[in-house]
Amino acid sequence: MVRRILDTPSSLTIETLVEGDNQTFPRPGDTVHIHYTGTLSDGRVFDSSHKRGRPFVVKIGTGLVITGWDEGAPYLLPVTDPSDTGQTSRRSKMSLGETALLTAGPEFAYGAMGVPPLIPPNATLKFEMELLKIDRERPEK
């Protein structure tokens, strides 16, 4: 199942590899613990939390990561139904325990500069991500 996040020439997509609990979703301001492996389009690994032996921990939606992760962050979050009923939609949302593949074109990654020598200019990056834990910024209502 591929979920298109943004409709751009190189696109930003999330593909579910393993379903999560479909009940527990991060909210804006929550801190998430994610294991990930970042690869180039040829399959070479350029970064991995697994190799470091600890998950990546980040407060979501704060601009601390590449644009692809920040633009993808709404798909780690439930969104309010367009009818403004206050209901949240579970479609296209990553839930606790889910493993997904995020693909980010150069405009959502490191662009024309790249990050030499690990990431060449204009590289499309793939991140296999597993949402391990959610620390709530504020309690559920």
Side-chain angles (χ1 to χ4, degrees), residues 43-135:
R44 283 184 291 154
V45 174
F46 63 84
D47 192 18
S48 174
S49 63
H50 295 281
K51 287 184 180 178
R52 286 190 298 279
R54 64 182 188 282
F56 180 62
V57 179
V58 66
K59 191 173 192 174
I60 52 177
T62 59
L64 297 175
V65 290
I66 64 169
T67 305
W69 278 41
D70 261 353
E71 293 291 330
Y75 288 82
L76 298 175
L77 306 170
V79 291
T80 303
D81 186 293
S83 65
D84 202 30
T85 63
Q87 298 295 313
T88 57
S89 169
R90 291 189 182 173
R91 62 185 203 295
S92 300
K93 305 300 160 256
M94 193 171 185
S95 64
L96 187 63
E98 183 170 332
T99 300
L101 181 65
L102 179 121
T103 302
E107 68 273 29
F108 298 109
Y110 296 101
M113 297 296 292
V115 182
L118 294 175
I119 301 171
N122 298 311
T124 293
L125 306 180
K126 295 184 177 202
F127 296 92
E128 185 172 310
M129 310 164 75
E130 179 184 6
L131 181 55
L132 301 170
K133 182 179 175 188
I134 303 166
D135 294 330

Side-chain angles (χ1 to χ4, degrees), residues 34-50:
I34 297 174
H35 256 316
Y36 73 93
T37 298
T39 59
L40 302 172
S41 50
D42 66 5
R44 283 184 291 154
V45 174
F46 63 84
D47 192 18
S48 174
S49 63
H50 295 281

